[in-house]
Amino acid sequence: QVQLIESGGGSVQAGGSLSLSCAASGRTFSTYTMGWFRQAPGKEREFVATISGSGLSTNYADSVKGRFTISRDNARNTVYLAMNSPKPEDTAVYYCAAKIGARTNKRGEYNYWGQGTQVTVSS
């Protein structure tokens, strides 16, 4: 069982920067693939980024590639999402998620979810 708690959301101007954190419970954090997803009002939850347990492999949605960076610190049981040059269309509730096994962008394959943190990007 893994409990995930996101933090770091808030309001930011377009072109600025914001960093999200997700703290995980448990002693086997490094065995979990971690992902970030987001959900805008009236839209389905969508994939943002994923990182392997070792932190050596990552994948990104095309919409955030080159602007967002996912990373993790297994000693601190924490995964991060650095958002650089955010756009108004990045406004959403951001969720972190965990799964055992290979990286994937399919939200249905993630077993554990945080409660979400709101990110609002103003123009």
Side-chain angles (χ1 to χ4, degrees):
Q1 192 82 345
V2 177
Q3 291 185 326
L4 304 172
I5 301 176
E6 301 97 336
S7 61
S11 297
V12 62
Q13 284 198 324
S17 63
L18 192 68
S19 184
L20 307 182
S21 299
C22 174
S25 64
R27 294 176 289 178
T28 58
F29 179 69
S30 62
T31 65
Y32 287 89
T33 286
M34 300 298 296
W36 284 99
F37 290 76
R38 66 187 181 186
Q39 187 167 17
K43 294 189 176 182
E44 291 192 352
R45 193 170 299 187
E46 65 175 7
F47 168 75
V48 175
T50 183
I51 188 167
S52 62
S54 66
L56 295 178
S57 299
T58 58
N59 285 100
Y60 296 91
D62 288 343
S63 59
V64 306
K65 202 173 291 183
R67 299 187 298 119
F68 292 8
T69 302
I70 188 171
S71 61
R72 66 191 296 161
D73 183 341
N74 286 341
R76 295 179 183 271
N77 280 19
T78 302
V79 62
Y80 305 95
L81 184 69
M83 304 170 63
N84 292 317
S85 299
K87 304 174 182 178
E89 50 263 44
D90 294 321
T91 294
V93 177
Y94 283 71
Y95 299 88
C96 74
K99 68 179 294 290
I100 295 291
R103 288 170 293 127
T104 179
N105 61 359
K106 298 187 173 100
R107 68 176 188 264
E109 295 193 19
Y110 286 80
N111 307 107
Y112 305 101
W113 292 85
Q115 82 289 350
T117 187
Q118 176 71 46
V119 171
T120 303
V121 185
S122 58
S123 57

